[in-house]
Amino acid sequence: MSGFFKQIFTWWNGNTINTRFFTWRHGKRIGEDQFGNIYYEGSRHKDGYLRRWVIYKDYSEASSIPPGWHGWIHHRCDIPPTEENYQSYSWEKSHILNMTGTSEAYRPKGSIAYNHGYFYAREDYDAWLPEE
């Protein structure tokens, strides 16, 4: 029963019942990425462009959209990565998920969470002190 309530009340756990119904009525499945997210295209918006959306496999996490699909869903290109004539750029890195909150998260020097020893400020740096 808890899965039913999640579909009604929580959008971050995947698609809701309204999203599922809208997708069933208006959605044309375009493709799926390596994470299991499914991409759809539907009716025309008032501005004239086609609506595009994604149904996430797990939690609704925008960083789980790979670069090629990101460009397609934001109307940067009209060719989805599933088509044969799609070509990614040579400078594109392979996609990694958002690592915030994990041990793989980026921790810059000077951060409290920086775990490579204490980071010392440059010798030519003078800290600001308020005037008394």
Side-chain angles (χ1 to χ4, degrees):
M1 193 68 159
S2 66
F4 175 72
F5 287 116
K6 282 184 180 180
Q7 289 180 11
I8 294 175
F9 297 112
T10 62
W11 55 265
W12 57 87
N13 285 311
N15 59 344
T16 61
I17 288 179
N18 287 336
T19 305
R20 187 176 294 172
F21 183 70
F22 182 83
T23 301
W24 173 74
R25 282 204 63 211
H26 303 287
K28 175 186 170 194
R29 184 182 168 136
I30 301 298
E32 185 175 338
D33 64 19
Q34 66 264 31
F35 302 115
N37 302 324
I38 303 172
Y39 298 87
Y40 292 91
E41 193 168 55
S43 58
R44 292 216 175 263
H45 195 266
K46 294 177 194 175
D47 297 337
Y49 61 87
L50 289 173
R51 295 177 187 208
R52 296 175 179 170
W53 67 95
V54 58
I55 302 294
Y56 296 98
K57 181 180 179 194
D58 295 319
Y59 286 107
S60 297
E61 174 59 50
S63 72
S64 69
I65 297 178
W69 283 108
H70 183 271
W72 178 82
I73 206 162
H74 290 285
H75 297 274
R76 303 283 191 275
C77 63
D78 290 328
I79 302 169
T82 54
E83 291 189 13
E84 288 182 27
N85 52 353
Y86 172 80
Q87 290 185 353
S88 61
Y89 294 102
S90 59
W91 46 263
E92 284 183 6
K93 293 182 178 180
S94 58
H95 181 69
I96 57 170
L97 294 175
N98 183 354
M99 294 292 140
T100 303
T102 68
S103 61
E104 299 294 319
Y106 175 67
R107 293 173 175 87
K109 291 181 179 178
S111 166
I112 294 172
Y114 184 70
N115 55 2
H116 297 291
Y118 183 75
F119 175 72
Y120 293 96
R122 298 186 336 227
E123 291 179 10
D124 62 343
Y125 174 78
D126 291 326
W128 175 81
L129 296 173
E131 293 182 21
E132 294 181 9

